[in-house]
Amino acid sequence: MVTIEESRLEEYKELRAESLDVIHAMRQLETYTVSSVMVFYSWLSINSAAVPPGSLPWWFPFPYVLLAFMRNRAFLSQLRTLNTYLEAFEDSFVINGEKPLAWYLYLKKGHRPRLFNFYDYSLWPLFLGLTIVLPLLADKLISVSS
């Protein structure tokens, strides 16, 4: 028969795995978004005779990146919810008078990776800015490189 502690520990493992899956999905979203937009801009610059620099197609990446940014924020919100629950779970999980789980409690004490937050909060605004600046400067950039 499964004890309550065992079932709660299994729940913790599943939620922890879900948390890692969300982080993986966030990184995949970044990789696919950056790669596809760079390929698109490369194609536009190579075919600048057919698609004039700064014309409407040069603006297509902006809404795409904006939607990817919004999806990233949804992932981040889901991750925060999971982490809050897991943190409370660790704090309340006791076996034989001891708390065997402590990762989220460790992070709560100020050991959070600041670089992750900086990267996550700076990548998307910079990339959105790039999708605005590139169409505006495309004519000048392509004529310089030709």
Side-chain angles (χ1 to χ4, degrees):
M1 186 165 164
V2 177
T3 65
I4 292 175
E5 288 85 11
E6 290 172 337
S7 66
R8 290 192 70 211
L9 190 55
E10 189 60 35
E11 176 190 18
Y12 177 84
K13 289 178 185 177
E14 289 178 20
L15 291 173
R16 181 77 176 113
E18 183 180 342
S19 179
L20 294 174
D21 287 344
V22 169
I23 291 171
H24 181 70
M26 288 173 70
R27 297 305 162 236
Q28 280 185 321
L29 178 67
E30 291 169 5
T31 302
Y32 296 150
T33 303
V34 170
S35 300
S36 61
V37 168
M38 290 301 108
V39 166
F40 185 75
Y41 279 136
S42 297
W43 184 87
L44 285 175
S45 65
I46 290 169
N47 297 294
S48 61
V51 183
S55 62
L56 183 62
W58 283 82
W59 293 95
F60 290 168
F62 179 77
Y64 176 70
V65 172
L66 184 62
L67 290 172
F69 172 66
M70 290 168 39
R71 181 66 180 136
N72 177 271
R73 295 297 99 178
F75 279 140
L76 193 58
S77 176
Q78 180 183 5
L79 188 60
R80 283 187 184 131
T81 302
L82 282 167
N83 290 348
T84 300
Y85 180 80
L86 290 170
E87 182 183 314
F89 180 88
E90 282 184 359
D91 196 36
S92 67
F93 191 70
V94 178
I95 296 178
N96 298 328
E98 293 189 25
K99 295 181 179 183
L101 306 173
W103 175 245
Y104 290 96
L105 296 176
Y106 173 77
L107 292 177
K108 187 177 183 178
K109 292 179 183 176
H111 298 94
R112 292 194 183 275
R114 304 278 184 236
L115 190 56
F116 176 83
N117 291 339
F118 174 76
Y119 170 78
D120 201 54
Y121 286 112
S122 61
L123 172 77
W124 292 102
L126 287 172
F127 203 51
L128 278 168
L130 180 69
T131 61
I132 293 171
V133 170
L134 267 177
L136 295 173
L137 299 178
D139 194 24
K140 293 172 185 56
L141 293 171
I142 289 178
S143 63
V144 168
S145 64
S146 306

